[in-house]
């Protein structure tokens, strides 16, 4: 594992975007595993800048997102589909037909999950998986549990996650109680993992996940078993 500590969020974002840009440039048909949350916003800004400057082409890029709230339409402002369109896809030359986010409104959610995993398998996994980390150690929406779940699946959000994500909604009551998330097999089959965390509040959980016991109680700890992980932590 490569652990990079930087001073500022701006540095984290520049470095993270450079790593993803290298992957895009090195593949004919790059498959990006993408994440939402506040942490990746700066990386997306930098990727948009590179694209606008003519330095990075997204025309062959396929993206597969980690998760989505259950019950939110893609045009709901707090849905992760909306987030991705708004922060990245609307501003680069990616073909939206090649961008995948789980459908939180699928009539048959089990079939949606199976199809999501099948597609990822067909791509041979992603070339790089970008991850944030929740305060409870979640990745995607894989919450602390007594076992790791391999497949894409529906989860009940942890009260602490609902609390943390309430800042994006009008009130805590508006935060969906369930979500659909890529499972650990989908994440771990990525060829490269880039996990980012910013701010002192994330330091303890990041250290526990990266250097503590590997346990489903700290979902991100499974990343210790992956052969190519880069962690970028910024203090501010
Ligand atoms: C959300 C997302 C995660 C994300 C996490 C941390 O719940 N499902 O993928 O990593 O929260 O978010 P933030 O970066 O805003 O702290």
């Amino acid at each position: 594992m490569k652990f990079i500590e930087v001073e500022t969020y701006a540095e984290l974002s520049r470095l993270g975007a450079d790593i993803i840009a290298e992957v895009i440039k090195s593949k004919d048909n790059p498959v990006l595993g993408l994440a939402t949350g506040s942490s990746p916003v700066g990386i997306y800004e930098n990727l948009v800048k590179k694209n606008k400057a003519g330095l990075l082409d997204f025309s062959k890029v396929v993206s597969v997102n980690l998760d989505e709230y259950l019950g939110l339409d893609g045009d709901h402002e707090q849905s992760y589909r909306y987030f991705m369109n708004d922060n990245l896809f609307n501003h680069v030359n990616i073909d939206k037909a090649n961008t995948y986010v789980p459908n939180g409104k699928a009539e048959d959610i089990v079939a949606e999950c199976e199809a999501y995993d099948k597609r990822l398998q067909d791509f041979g996994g992603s070339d790089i998986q970008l991850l944030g980390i929740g305060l409870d150690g979640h990745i995607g929406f894989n919450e602390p549990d007594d076992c790791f779940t391999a497949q894409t699946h529906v989860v009940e959000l942890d009260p602490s996650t609902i609390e943390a994500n309430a800042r994006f909604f009008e009130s805590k009551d508006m935060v969906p109680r369930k979500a659909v998330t890529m499972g650990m097999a989908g994440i771990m089959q990525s060829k490269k993992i880039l996990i980012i965390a910013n701010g002192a509040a994330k330091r303890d959980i990041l250290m526990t996940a990266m250097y503590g016991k590997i346990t489903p109680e700290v979902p991100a700890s499974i990343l210790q078993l992956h052969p190519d992980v880069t962690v970028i932590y910024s203090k501010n």
Side-chain angles (χ1 to χ4, degrees):
M1 181 206 315
K2 199 165 158 190
F3 193 103
I4 304 170
E5 184 162 337
V6 293
E7 288 295 322
T8 66
Y9 180 65
E11 281 174 82
L12 175 157
S13 303
R14 261 197 312 273
L15 211 56
D18 287 348
I19 292 171
I20 294 175
E22 278 317 306
V23 172
I24 295 176
K25 286 180 192 163
S26 70
K27 304 273 169 182
D28 292 334
N29 297 97
V31 180
L32 307 182
L34 297 179
T36 53
S38 53
S39 309
V41 169
I43 288 185
Y44 295 148
E45 279 171 9
N46 280 278
L47 290 174
V48 169
K49 265 191 218 152
K50 288 177 192 289
N51 179 253
K52 292 222 183 298
L55 302 171
L56 192 61
D57 177 25
F58 278 79
S59 63
K60 300 272 168 47
V61 170
V62 168
S63 70
V64 184
N65 258 78
L66 282 169
D67 48 11
E68 180 59 284
Y69 288 112
L70 209 69
L72 296 196
D73 250 325
D75 50 16
H76 186 291
E77 282 192 18
Q78 296 312 329
S79 75
Y80 286 167
R81 159 56 72 182
Y82 187 97
F83 174 99
M84 289 311 301
N85 287 346
D86 198 37
N87 284 281
L88 183 65
F89 303 151
N90 287 346
H91 312 291
V92 296
N93 66 328
I94 198 167
D95 180 351
K96 283 231 186 94
N98 292 333
T99 67
Y100 299 96
V101 179
N103 177 5
K105 291 273 276 194
E107 266 177 41
D108 184 345
I109 197 69
V110 174
E112 168 70 15
C113 292
E114 283 173 6
Y116 211 71
D117 284 335
K118 166 86 174 52
R119 192 181 303 110
L120 200 52
Q121 286 282 344
D122 291 347
F123 290 138
S126 55
D127 292 308
I128 185 164
Q129 176 66 58
L130 175 61
L131 294 170
I133 183 169
L135 283 171
D136 62 359
H138 73 229
I139 45 177
F141 268 135
N142 290 279
E143 294 283 27
D145 203 345
D146 50 16
C147 62
F148 290 114
T149 303
Q151 280 75 33
T152 297
H153 59 290
V154 171
V155 285
E156 299 259 356
L157 298 180
D158 206 79
S160 70
T161 301
I162 294 169
E163 189 78 47
N165 290 3
R167 67 199 144 118
F168 299 114
F169 291 80
E170 269 171 44
S171 71
K172 197 166 119 184
D173 295 343
M174 311 281 275
V175 185
R177 268 38 189 173
K178 289 183 180 182
V180 50
T181 184
M182 191 187 284
M184 293 307 194
I187 293 172
M188 292 292 281
Q189 73 179 319
S190 180
K191 294 172 192 74
K192 201 176 175 59
I193 303 276
L194 172 59
I195 178 160
I196 55 168
N198 71 296
K202 289 273 177 81
R203 194 167 206 283
D204 281 356
I205 189 62
L206 186 66
M207 292 303 170
T208 303
M210 295 302 132
Y211 300 109
K213 194 169 126 195
I214 299 170
T215 164
E217 294 296 335
V218 183
S221 65
I222 199 173
L223 299 174
Q224 293 182 44
L225 300 175
H226 193 285
D228 187 351
V229 177
T230 301
V231 185
I232 313 179
Y233 167 71
S234 75
K235 290 182 210 157
N236 303 293

